Amino acid sequence: MSSRIIPSTRMQQLPYYLFGKLNAEKQQLRELGKDIIDFGMGNSDMPASREVVEKTHEVIEDDKSHRYSRATGIPHLLRAASDHYKERYGVELDPEKEVIATIGSKEGLSHLALALLGPGELCAVPEPYFPVHMWSVVIAGAEPVNIPVTDKADQLIESLEKLDSAPKAIFLNYPHNPTGTTVGPEFFEETVPYFREKNIIVIHDFAYKDITFGGFQAPSILQTEGAKEIAVEFFTMSKSYNMAGWRCGFCLGNAEIVHLLSRIKSFFDYGMFTPIQVAAITALRGDQANVDEIAAKYERRRDVLIEGLARSGWQIPKNRGAMFVWTPLPEKYRDMGSLKFAEWLLEEAEVLVSPGIGFGPAGEGYVRMSLVENTHRIRQAVRQINRVLK
């Protein structure tokens, strides 16, 4: 970097994006003619529904839709999101005060950290972590404190009690990225009273709320009595409706927190393109059997991958949620470390996986495999991985 260009101190705290390095290596191999099977990023290979695409075409032809939109989300979109929560979770939300649209949940989470956290304030981030949970705290100038990911309420409370002082906020994420950890309603029923007593703000990332397996349904934290006093929840159109590139999400819950997010967003953006907002309304009000079908496809892919790798002795537990498989490295390769193992698989098996170290030190010794290839490609990947493992 030129000596004339001095980055801010916050930039010096941020690590280089490990997944970008592996993606660059993947691209180099593809340019050499290698057919790389990509289990790296959680970027669905399935399209949005035909109904959603056709509605977008219709709205985009209206010249009025090309102007700046309402920054917090058009009223019909906020109503569609609140109706969705009423129908699916039995949660009543005021669409004008307790719901805000975000440009994907990653944007909303990052800006909310800026609105809530500052120097000298603590935020608990369970580890392994989705990177934005950790680094949005750092960018906000606050101090992240890592605690273990758990599906046990008493263990979470015990971890928080061991801290020198109570954090101002905590990130939760169930179903969890990257581990696939899930919790039932009792988890929130036990933890929400504790969060209220300690006045800890809860930011629940609910991105994988509909990607669940074996009949399991992930609970919303907002279903818990008293949760709206201290919690907000993010969900996104990306996973449930195959609209990842459309960048549309929501923050719902505590009205004061939602208002803070709307205030800070007013300095950063003018909201989403209107046709995307109408597309999201169409998806939320459309046939929800499509959502169940998407989850069923991920479940089939999970089973093909896990059962196939078991033939080479790589035993992987089945998760109940999220579009990933999270697993320890095969015993023979554990000394290699997750990054070198991922690079070795990329070179030798021509399969890209995400090394666990990219999700924090607690992720070392693991890899994450995204279920974003069809079953034919997954079987091909299994053959290639088993060949090099044997």
Side-chain angles (χ1 to χ4, degrees), residues 175-176 178-182 208 211-214 216 298-299 301-303 305-306 316-327 368-369 371:
H176 184 258
T179 68
T181 302
T182 56
Y208 300 95
I211 312 302
T212 55
F213 313 135
F216 172 71
Y298 282 125
E299 185 168 9
R301 292 176 177 190
R302 178 203 65 175
D303 293 346
L305 180 61
I306 289 177
I316 300 172
K318 286 189 175 180
N319 51 312
R320 290 197 300 178
M323 55 192 286
F324 313 107
V325 165
W326 175 257
T327 176
R368 190 193 74 178
M369 292 180 268
L371 303 168

mmCIF file of all heavy atoms in Angstrom, residues 175-176 178-182 208 211-214 216 298-299 301-303 305-306 316-327 368-369 371:
data_model
loop_
_atom_site.group_PDB
_atom_site.id
_atom_site.type_symbol
_atom_site.label_atom_id
_atom_site.label_comp_id
_atom_site.label_asym_id
_atom_site.label_seq_id
_atom_site.Cartn_x
_atom_site.Cartn_y
_atom_site.Cartn_z
ATOM 1 N N PRO A 175 -31.271 -21.306 13.483
ATOM 2 C CA PRO A 175 -30.169 -22.236 13.219
ATOM 3 C C PRO A 175 -28.875 -21.493 12.924
ATOM 4 O O PRO A 175 -28.883 -20.463 12.259
ATOM 5 C CB PRO A 175 -30.645 -23.026 11.994
ATOM 6 C CG PRO A 175 -32.147 -22.928 12.043
ATOM 7 C CD PRO A 175 -32.426 -21.561 12.586
ATOM 8 N N HIS A 176 -27.795 -22.075 13.425
ATOM 9 C CA HIS A 176 -26.529 -21.358 13.491
ATOM 10 C C HIS A 176 -25.656 -21.562 12.257
ATOM 11 O O HIS A 176 -25.552 -22.663 11.725
ATOM 12 C CB HIS A 176 -25.761 -21.834 14.733
ATOM 13 C CG HIS A 176 -24.480 -21.111 14.977
ATOM 14 N ND1 HIS A 176 -23.251 -21.651 14.671
ATOM 15 C CD2 HIS A 176 -24.242 -19.875 15.479
ATOM 16 C CE1 HIS A 176 -22.307 -20.778 14.998
ATOM 17 N NE2 HIS A 176 -22.883 -19.699 15.480
ATOM 18 N N PRO A 178 -21.717 -21.137 11.459
ATOM 19 C CA PRO A 178 -21.590 -22.260 10.534
ATOM 20 C C PRO A 178 -21.977 -23.638 11.086
ATOM 21 O O PRO A 178 -21.957 -24.605 10.340
ATOM 22 C CB PRO A 178 -20.090 -22.259 10.259
ATOM 23 C CG PRO A 178 -19.484 -21.869 11.578
ATOM 24 C CD PRO A 178 -20.430 -20.837 12.134
ATOM 25 N N THR A 179 -22.291 -23.778 12.367
ATOM 26 C CA THR A 179 -22.331 -25.119 12.969
ATOM 27 C C THR A 179 -23.648 -25.864 12.744
ATOM 28 O O THR A 179 -23.700 -27.070 12.974
ATOM 29 C CB THR A 179 -22.081 -25.040 14.484
ATOM 30 O OG1 THR A 179 -23.200 -24.377 15.100
ATOM 31 C CG2 THR A 179 -20.794 -24.284 14.801
ATOM 32 N N GLY A 180 -24.713 -25.146 12.349
ATOM 33 C CA GLY A 180 -26.011 -25.800 12.207
ATOM 34 C C GLY A 180 -26.708 -26.063 13.528
ATOM 35 O O GLY A 180 -27.755 -26.721 13.558
ATOM 36 N N THR A 181 -26.185 -25.556 14.642
ATOM 37 C CA THR A 181 -26.808 -25.748 15.955
ATOM 38 C C THR A 181 -28.213 -25.149 15.964
ATOM 39 O O THR A 181 -28.433 -24.043 15.465
ATOM 40 C CB THR A 181 -25.963 -25.076 17.047
ATOM 41 O OG1 THR A 181 -24.646 -25.624 17.025
ATOM 42 C CG2 THR A 181 -26.568 -25.272 18.429
ATOM 43 N N THR A 182 -29.169 -25.884 16.535
ATOM 44 C CA THR A 182 -30.549 -25.407 16.637
ATOM 45 C C THR A 182 -31.004 -25.445 18.091
ATOM 46 O O THR A 182 -30.437 -26.160 18.920
ATOM 47 C CB THR A 182 -31.493 -26.279 15.795
ATOM 48 O OG1 THR A 182 -31.367 -27.647 16.200
ATOM 49 C CG2 THR A 182 -31.185 -26.164 14.303
ATOM 50 N N TYR A 208 -31.756 -18.529 8.718
ATOM 51 C CA TYR A 208 -32.048 -19.904 8.274
ATOM 52 C C TYR A 208 -33.317 -20.440 8.914
ATOM 53 O O TYR A 208 -33.467 -21.650 9.092
ATOM 54 C CB TYR A 208 -30.846 -20.801 8.583
ATOM 55 C CG TYR A 208 -29.611 -20.310 7.874
ATOM 56 C CD1 TYR A 208 -28.712 -19.470 8.512
ATOM 57 C CD2 TYR A 208 -29.384 -20.630 6.541
ATOM 58 C CE1 TYR A 208 -27.604 -18.971 7.845
ATOM 59 C CE2 TYR A 208 -28.277 -20.142 5.867
ATOM 60 C CZ TYR A 208 -27.394 -19.305 6.522
ATOM 61 O OH TYR A 208 -26.310 -18.805 5.858
ATOM 62 N N ILE A 211 -34.956 -23.147 6.858
ATOM 63 C CA ILE A 211 -34.126 -24.247 6.343
ATOM 64 C C ILE A 211 -33.890 -25.216 7.494
ATOM 65 O O ILE A 211 -32.871 -25.184 8.186
ATOM 66 C CB ILE A 211 -32.800 -23.727 5.748
ATOM 67 C CG1 ILE A 211 -33.061 -22.556 4.797
ATOM 68 C CG2 ILE A 211 -32.058 -24.866 5.052
ATOM 69 C CD1 ILE A 211 -33.993 -22.893 3.632
ATOM 70 N N THR A 212 -34.896 -26.053 7.741
ATOM 71 C CA THR A 212 -34.839 -27.008 8.849
ATOM 72 C C THR A 212 -35.261 -28.380 8.340
ATOM 73 O O THR A 212 -35.972 -28.501 7.341
ATOM 74 C CB THR A 212 -35.751 -26.565 10.004
ATOM 75 O OG1 THR A 212 -37.079 -26.378 9.511
ATOM 76 C CG2 THR A 212 -35.256 -25.264 10.621
ATOM 77 N N PHE A 213 -34.822 -29.427 9.057
ATOM 78 C CA PHE A 213 -34.949 -30.794 8.564
ATOM 79 C C PHE A 213 -35.643 -31.706 9.579
ATOM 80 O O PHE A 213 -35.659 -31.421 10.778
ATOM 81 C CB PHE A 213 -33.563 -31.363 8.242
ATOM 82 C CG PHE A 213 -32.682 -30.428 7.442
ATOM 83 C CD1 PHE A 213 -31.353 -30.219 7.782
ATOM 84 C CD2 PHE A 213 -33.201 -29.750 6.339
ATOM 85 C CE1 PHE A 213 -30.549 -29.361 7.050
ATOM 86 C CE2 PHE A 213 -32.411 -28.886 5.594
ATOM 87 C CZ PHE A 213 -31.072 -28.687 5.952
ATOM 88 N N GLY A 214 -36.164 -32.811 9.071
ATOM 89 C CA GLY A 214 -36.750 -33.836 9.937
ATOM 90 C C GLY A 214 -37.978 -33.396 10.683
ATOM 91 O O GLY A 214 -38.269 -33.892 11.775
ATOM 92 N N PHE A 216 -38.442 -30.561 12.092
ATOM 93 C CA PHE A 216 -38.133 -29.539 13.102
ATOM 94 C C PHE A 216 -38.498 -28.157 12.578
ATOM 95 O O PHE A 216 -38.228 -27.835 11.421
ATOM 96 C CB PHE A 216 -36.646 -29.586 13.452
ATOM 97 C CG PHE A 216 -36.188 -28.463 14.344
ATOM 98 C CD1 PHE A 216 -36.573 -28.414 15.669
ATOM 99 C CD2 PHE A 216 -35.380 -27.449 13.855
ATOM 100 C CE1 PHE A 216 -36.160 -27.381 16.496
ATOM 101 C CE2 PHE A 216 -34.948 -26.413 14.664
ATOM 102 C CZ PHE A 216 -35.348 -26.381 15.995
ATOM 103 N N TYR A 298 -32.597 -29.150 0.376
ATOM 104 C CA TYR A 298 -31.363 -29.071 1.171
ATOM 105 C C TYR A 298 -31.190 -30.309 2.038
ATOM 106 O O TYR A 298 -30.077 -30.796 2.227
ATOM 107 C CB TYR A 298 -31.366 -27.815 2.047
ATOM 108 C CG TYR A 298 -31.041 -26.546 1.298
ATOM 109 C CD1 TYR A 298 -31.896 -25.449 1.332
ATOM 110 C CD2 TYR A 298 -29.865 -26.432 0.561
ATOM 111 C CE1 TYR A 298 -31.597 -24.282 0.651
ATOM 112 C CE2 TYR A 298 -29.558 -25.269 -0.121
ATOM 113 C CZ TYR A 298 -30.431 -24.200 -0.076
ATOM 114 O OH TYR A 298 -30.136 -23.045 -0.759
ATOM 115 N N GLU A 299 -32.303 -30.830 2.564
ATOM 116 C CA GLU A 299 -32.219 -32.038 3.396
ATOM 117 C C GLU A 299 -31.733 -33.227 2.570
ATOM 118 O O GLU A 299 -30.896 -34.017 3.026
ATOM 119 C CB GLU A 299 -33.572 -32.342 4.033
ATOM 120 C CG GLU A 299 -33.532 -33.518 4.999
ATOM 121 C CD GLU A 299 -34.794 -33.636 5.842
ATOM 122 O OE1 GLU A 299 -35.771 -32.908 5.572
ATOM 123 O OE2 GLU A 299 -34.792 -34.459 6.778
ATOM 124 N N ARG A 301 -29.881 -33.108 -0.093
ATOM 125 C CA ARG A 301 -28.469 -32.860 -0.398
ATOM 126 C C ARG A 301 -27.590 -33.190 0.810
ATOM 127 O O ARG A 301 -26.518 -33.783 0.656
ATOM 128 C CB ARG A 301 -28.276 -31.393 -0.808
ATOM 129 C CG ARG A 301 -28.929 -31.044 -2.127
ATOM 130 C CD ARG A 301 -28.793 -29.555 -2.436
ATOM 131 N NE ARG A 301 -29.373 -29.232 -3.739
ATOM 132 C CZ ARG A 301 -29.234 -28.064 -4.344
ATOM 133 N NH1 ARG A 301 -28.547 -27.102 -3.756
ATOM 134 N NH2 ARG A 301 -29.779 -27.849 -5.523
ATOM 135 N N ARG A 302 -28.056 -32.783 1.990
ATOM 136 C CA ARG A 302 -27.304 -33.105 3.215
ATOM 137 C C ARG A 302 -27.115 -34.604 3.352
ATOM 138 O O ARG A 302 -26.007 -35.094 3.643
ATOM 139 C CB ARG A 302 -28.070 -32.564 4.434
ATOM 140 C CG ARG A 302 -27.421 -32.869 5.772
ATOM 141 C CD ARG A 302 -28.409 -32.844 6.912
ATOM 142 N NE ARG A 302 -29.412 -33.912 6.804
ATOM 143 C CZ ARG A 302 -30.328 -34.170 7.718
ATOM 144 N NH1 ARG A 302 -30.399 -33.432 8.813
ATOM 145 N NH2 ARG A 302 -31.197 -35.166 7.542
ATOM 146 N N ASP A 303 -28.182 -35.362 3.142
ATOM 147 C CA ASP A 303 -28.116 -36.813 3.309
ATOM 148 C C ASP A 303 -27.184 -37.462 2.280
ATOM 149 O O ASP A 303 -26.414 -38.370 2.616
ATOM 150 C CB ASP A 303 -29.515 -37.415 3.209
ATOM 151 C CG ASP A 303 -30.416 -37.015 4.369
ATOM 152 O OD1 ASP A 303 -29.882 -36.502 5.381
ATOM 153 O OD2 ASP A 303 -31.638 -37.208 4.264
ATOM 154 N N LEU A 305 -24.606 -36.090 0.825
ATOM 155 C CA LEU A 305 -23.226 -35.739 1.169
ATOM 156 C C LEU A 305 -22.726 -36.547 2.364
ATOM 157 O O LEU A 305 -21.650 -37.171 2.312
ATOM 158 C CB LEU A 305 -23.129 -34.241 1.470
ATOM 159 C CG LEU A 305 -21.752 -33.698 1.839
ATOM 160 C CD1 LEU A 305 -20.756 -33.898 0.698
ATOM 161 C CD2 LEU A 305 -21.828 -32.219 2.213
ATOM 162 N N ILE A 306 -23.496 -36.572 3.441
ATOM 163 C CA ILE A 306 -23.060 -37.244 4.670
ATOM 164 C C ILE A 306 -22.958 -38.754 4.465
ATOM 165 O O ILE A 306 -21.969 -39.387 4.873
ATOM 166 C CB ILE A 306 -24.018 -36.900 5.828
ATOM 167 C CG1 ILE A 306 -23.827 -35.434 6.244
ATOM 168 C CG2 ILE A 306 -23.771 -37.818 7.026
ATOM 169 C CD1 ILE A 306 -24.786 -34.963 7.328
ATOM 170 N N ILE A 316 -19.940 -37.891 9.839
ATOM 171 C CA ILE A 316 -20.407 -36.519 10.021
ATOM 172 C C ILE A 316 -21.790 -36.541 10.654
ATOM 173 O O ILE A 316 -22.689 -37.225 10.165
ATOM 174 C CB ILE A 316 -20.458 -35.784 8.662
ATOM 175 C CG1 ILE A 316 -19.065 -35.753 8.018
ATOM 176 C CG2 ILE A 316 -21.000 -34.373 8.824
ATOM 177 C CD1 ILE A 316 -19.051 -35.214 6.600
ATOM 178 N N PRO A 317 -22.005 -35.810 11.749
ATOM 179 C CA PRO A 317 -23.337 -35.782 12.376
ATOM 180 C C PRO A 317 -24.327 -35.020 11.501
ATOM 181 O O PRO A 317 -23.969 -34.081 10.790
ATOM 182 C CB PRO A 317 -23.085 -35.045 13.698
ATOM 183 C CG PRO A 317 -21.855 -34.220 13.458
ATOM 184 C CD PRO A 317 -21.020 -34.993 12.486
ATOM 185 N N LYS A 318 -25.601 -35.447 11.564
ATOM 186 C CA LYS A 318 -26.646 -34.765 10.799
ATOM 187 C C LYS A 318 -27.203 -33.597 11.607
ATOM 188 O O LYS A 318 -27.623 -33.765 12.751
ATOM 189 C CB LYS A 318 -27.769 -35.747 10.440
ATOM 190 C CG LYS A 318 -27.395 -36.717 9.331
ATOM 191 C CD LYS A 318 -28.603 -37.520 8.866
ATOM 192 C CE LYS A 318 -28.233 -38.396 7.668
ATOM 193 N NZ LYS A 318 -29.397 -39.184 7.184
ATOM 194 N N ASN A 319 -27.207 -32.422 10.986
ATOM 195 C CA ASN A 319 -27.743 -31.227 11.627
ATOM 196 C C ASN A 319 -29.232 -31.092 11.334
ATOM 197 O O ASN A 319 -29.747 -31.652 10.362
ATOM 198 C CB ASN A 319 -26.997 -29.984 11.129
ATOM 199 C CG ASN A 319 -26.935 -29.917 9.605
ATOM 200 O OD1 ASN A 319 -26.595 -30.897 8.956
ATOM 201 N ND2 ASN A 319 -27.250 -28.773 9.028
ATOM 202 N N ARG A 320 -29.936 -30.307 12.180
ATOM 203 C CA ARG A 320 -31.382 -30.114 12.014
ATOM 204 C C ARG A 320 -31.718 -28.843 11.258
ATOM 205 O O ARG A 320 -32.891 -28.572 10.974
ATOM 206 C CB ARG A 320 -32.083 -30.049 13.374
ATOM 207 C CG ARG A 320 -32.135 -31.343 14.134
ATOM 208 C CD ARG A 320 -33.180 -31.292 15.235
ATOM 209 N NE ARG A 320 -32.923 -30.226 16.212
ATOM 210 C CZ ARG A 320 -33.708 -29.951 17.251
ATOM 211 N NH1 ARG A 320 -34.827 -30.657 17.429
ATOM 212 N NH2 ARG A 320 -33.416 -28.982 18.098
ATOM 213 N N GLY A 321 -30.694 -28.029 10.946
ATOM 214 C CA GLY A 321 -31.001 -26.777 10.283
ATOM 215 C C GLY A 321 -29.791 -26.140 9.642
ATOM 216 O O GLY A 321 -28.654 -26.542 9.881
ATOM 217 N N ALA A 322 -30.055 -25.146 8.799
ATOM 218 C CA ALA A 322 -29.089 -24.367 8.015
ATOM 219 C C ALA A 322 -28.662 -25.157 6.775
ATOM 220 O O ALA A 322 -28.791 -26.385 6.729
ATOM 221 C CB ALA A 322 -27.876 -23.939 8.830
ATOM 222 N N MET A 323 -28.156 -24.457 5.787
ATOM 223 C CA MET A 323 -27.830 -25.053 4.496
ATOM 224 C C MET A 323 -26.366 -25.469 4.415
ATOM 225 O O MET A 323 -25.728 -25.348 3.375
ATOM 226 C CB MET A 323 -28.166 -24.067 3.364
ATOM 227 C CG MET A 323 -27.491 -22.724 3.535
ATOM 228 S SD MET A 323 -28.125 -21.454 2.421
ATOM 229 C CE MET A 323 -27.401 -21.958 0.873
ATOM 230 N N PHE A 324 -25.842 -25.959 5.548
ATOM 231 C CA PHE A 324 -24.439 -26.353 5.634
ATOM 232 C C PHE A 324 -24.300 -27.696 6.328
ATOM 233 O O PHE A 324 -25.174 -28.115 7.082
ATOM 234 C CB PHE A 324 -23.626 -25.330 6.447
ATOM 235 C CG PHE A 324 -23.867 -23.905 6.072
ATOM 236 C CD1 PHE A 324 -24.593 -23.057 6.890
ATOM 237 C CD2 PHE A 324 -23.346 -23.394 4.890
ATOM 238 C CE1 PHE A 324 -24.816 -21.742 6.551
ATOM 239 C CE2 PHE A 324 -23.565 -22.078 4.537
ATOM 240 C CZ PHE A 324 -24.297 -21.253 5.368
ATOM 241 N N VAL A 325 -23.157 -28.322 6.106
ATOM 242 C CA VAL A 325 -22.682 -29.421 6.931
ATOM 243 C C VAL A 325 -21.412 -28.932 7.616
ATOM 244 O O VAL A 325 -20.517 -28.381 6.971
ATOM 245 C CB VAL A 325 -22.395 -30.673 6.075
ATOM 246 C CG1 VAL A 325 -21.564 -31.679 6.840
ATOM 247 C CG2 VAL A 325 -23.706 -31.301 5.611
ATOM 248 N N TRP A 326 -21.357 -29.084 8.934
ATOM 249 C CA TRP A 326 -20.215 -28.651 9.738
ATOM 250 C C TRP A 326 -19.611 -29.891 10.375
ATOM 251 O O TRP A 326 -20.300 -30.655 11.042
ATOM 252 C CB TRP A 326 -20.686 -27.670 10.813
ATOM 253 C CG TRP A 326 -19.673 -27.210 11.811
ATOM 254 C CD1 TRP A 326 -19.531 -27.632 13.098
ATOM 255 C CD2 TRP A 326 -18.674 -26.190 11.627
ATOM 256 N NE1 TRP A 326 -18.526 -26.960 13.734
ATOM 257 C CE2 TRP A 326 -17.967 -26.061 12.851
ATOM 258 C CE3 TRP A 326 -18.304 -25.393 10.552
ATOM 259 C CZ2 TRP A 326 -16.927 -25.160 13.022
ATOM 260 C CZ3 TRP A 326 -17.262 -24.492 10.724
ATOM 261 C CH2 TRP A 326 -16.591 -24.378 11.938
ATOM 262 N N THR A 327 -18.330 -30.100 10.163
ATOM 263 C CA THR A 327 -17.756 -31.374 10.604
ATOM 264 C C THR A 327 -16.296 -31.235 11.000
ATOM 265 O O THR A 327 -15.556 -30.444 10.400
ATOM 266 C CB THR A 327 -17.874 -32.420 9.477
ATOM 267 O OG1 THR A 327 -17.227 -33.632 9.882
ATOM 268 C CG2 THR A 327 -17.230 -31.935 8.179
ATOM 269 N N ARG A 368 -16.681 -26.298 6.888
ATOM 270 C CA ARG A 368 -18.096 -26.121 6.563
ATOM 271 C C ARG A 368 -18.292 -26.391 5.082
ATOM 272 O O ARG A 368 -17.535 -25.883 4.248
ATOM 273 C CB ARG A 368 -18.553 -24.698 6.883
ATOM 274 C CG ARG A 368 -20.051 -24.492 6.797
ATOM 275 C CD ARG A 368 -20.435 -23.027 6.798
ATOM 276 N NE ARG A 368 -20.127 -22.400 5.516
ATOM 277 C CZ ARG A 368 -20.394 -21.120 5.225
ATOM 278 N NH1 ARG A 368 -20.958 -20.346 6.122
ATOM 279 N NH2 ARG A 368 -20.079 -20.624 4.035
ATOM 280 N N MET A 369 -19.301 -27.191 4.758
ATOM 281 C CA MET A 369 -19.628 -27.482 3.358
ATOM 282 C C MET A 369 -21.038 -26.996 3.069
ATOM 283 O O MET A 369 -22.001 -27.473 3.689
ATOM 284 C CB MET A 369 -19.493 -28.986 3.087
ATOM 285 C CG MET A 369 -18.053 -29.473 3.150
ATOM 286 S SD MET A 369 -17.882 -31.249 2.821
ATOM 287 C CE MET A 369 -17.979 -31.895 4.490
ATOM 288 N N LEU A 371 -24.458 -26.576 1.023
ATOM 289 C CA LEU A 371 -25.243 -27.501 0.205
ATOM 290 C C LEU A 371 -25.811 -26.781 -1.020
ATOM 291 O O LEU A 371 -27.025 -26.755 -1.269
ATOM 292 C CB LEU A 371 -26.362 -28.112 1.045
ATOM 293 C CG LEU A 371 -25.892 -28.845 2.313
ATOM 294 C CD1 LEU A 371 -27.073 -29.160 3.228
ATOM 295 C CD2 LEU A 371 -25.135 -30.120 1.950
#
